[in-house]
């Protein structure tokens, strides 16, 4: 009895192979590379906004870029750290980044309640282009991050789904931001919020099924 048990254990041990430690830096490198690639494709295919090309970009461009990048980076860092459960504490910085990002749609909503903006301010056709391009970029970034997470062991796939979606949506919108020429708060509050929210929802619905172990 003991002999057969020992033989079984020895057989299992012989089949074991060393597993390379999953480093968060590699996940962030993938996210950063895909974000840069998305930005390069946007700049090449659609062009860079005129004021940025002239070196005199509007302050709203920098504010919008900073908020989107802050949200994308904070959520991406938290997501990749989830690949190694039990290592350190889960960062809460992404929550503050999300609150900061929410100031755009909140401000637009308050101003709309005071005075309904004209349809021209919302620019539906341009907004749909923003949504489409940002969504495609988010899909590429989110797919790369999800594939990387599959190699890890996230203990909360649902939370990871939210984080992956938020990160991808924010960074995808940041990539499109290089082209978007509009600085109106109504436009920003609507069309830069929708792709982030949709990406977060898609991430929550799909990512947990793909990374669950």
């Amino acid at each position: 009895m003991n002999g057969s048990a020992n033989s079984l254990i020895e057989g299992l041990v012989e089949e074991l192979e060393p597993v390379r430690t999953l480093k968060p830096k590699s996940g962030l490198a993938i996210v950063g590379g895909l974000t840069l690639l998305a930005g390069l494709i946007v700049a090449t295919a659609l062009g860079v906004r005129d004021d940025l090309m002239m070196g005199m970009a509007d302050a709203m461009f920098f504010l919008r870029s900073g908020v989107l990048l802050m949200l994308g980076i904070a959520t991406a860092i938290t997501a990749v750290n989830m690949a190694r459960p039990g290592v350190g504490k889960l960062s809460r910085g992404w929550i503050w980044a999300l609150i900061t990002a929410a100031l755009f749609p909140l401000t637009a909503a308050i101003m709309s309640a005071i005075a309904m903006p004209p349809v021209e301010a919302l620019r539906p056709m341009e907004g749909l282009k923003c949504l489409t391009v940002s969504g495609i970029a988010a899909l590429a970034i989110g797919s790369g991050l999800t594939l990387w997470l599959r190699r890890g062991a996230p203990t909360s796939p649902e939370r990871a789904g939210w984080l992956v979606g938020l990160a991808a949506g924010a960074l995808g919108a940041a990539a499109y931001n290089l082209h978007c020429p509009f600085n109106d708060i109504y436009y920003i509050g609507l069309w830069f919020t929708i792709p982030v929210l949709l990406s977060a929802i898609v991430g929550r619905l799909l990512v947990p099924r793909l990374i669950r172990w």
Side-chain angles (χ1 to χ4, degrees), residues 58-82:
D58 189 272
M60 182 61 79
F61 166 80
F62 293 105
L63 182 60
R64 185 170 62 196
S65 298
V67 169
L68 289 171
L69 289 174
M70 179 176 63
L71 177 59
I73 292 171
T75 48
I77 289 175
T78 306
V80 298
N81 283 332
M82 293 182 68

Side-chain angles (χ1 to χ4, degrees), residues 48-124:
V48 177
R49 49 185 285 160
D50 293 338
D51 58 350
L52 185 60
M53 285 289 292
M54 294 185 294
M56 298 182 295
D58 189 272
M60 182 61 79
F61 166 80
F62 293 105
L63 182 60
R64 185 170 62 196
S65 298
V67 169
L68 289 171
L69 289 174
M70 179 176 63
L71 177 59
I73 292 171
T75 48
I77 289 175
T78 306
V80 298
N81 283 332
M82 293 182 68
R84 297 194 300 169
V87 180
K89 295 181 179 179
L90 184 63
S91 172
R92 301 293 179 182
W94 67 273
I95 297 178
W96 294 107
L98 182 60
I99 292 174
T100 302
L103 291 177
F104 280 105
L106 180 61
T107 301
I110 293 174
M111 293 180 64
S112 297
I114 296 174
M116 183 61 64
V119 176
E120 293 77 14
L122 298 178
R123 299 179 176 87

Side-chain angles (χ1 to χ4, degrees), residues 2 4 13 16 55-56 74 108 110 120 137 144 170 178-179 184-185 192 197 205:
N2 290 336
S4 60
V13 171
L16 293 177
M56 298 182 295
I110 293 174
E120 293 77 14
L178 292 172
H179 166 74
D184 193 287
I185 188 61
F192 276 87
L197 288 178
L205 294 175

Side-chain angles (χ1 to χ4, degrees), residues 157-171:
E158 291 76 17
R159 179 182 293 173
W162 285 118
L163 291 170
V164 169
L166 284 172
L171 294 175

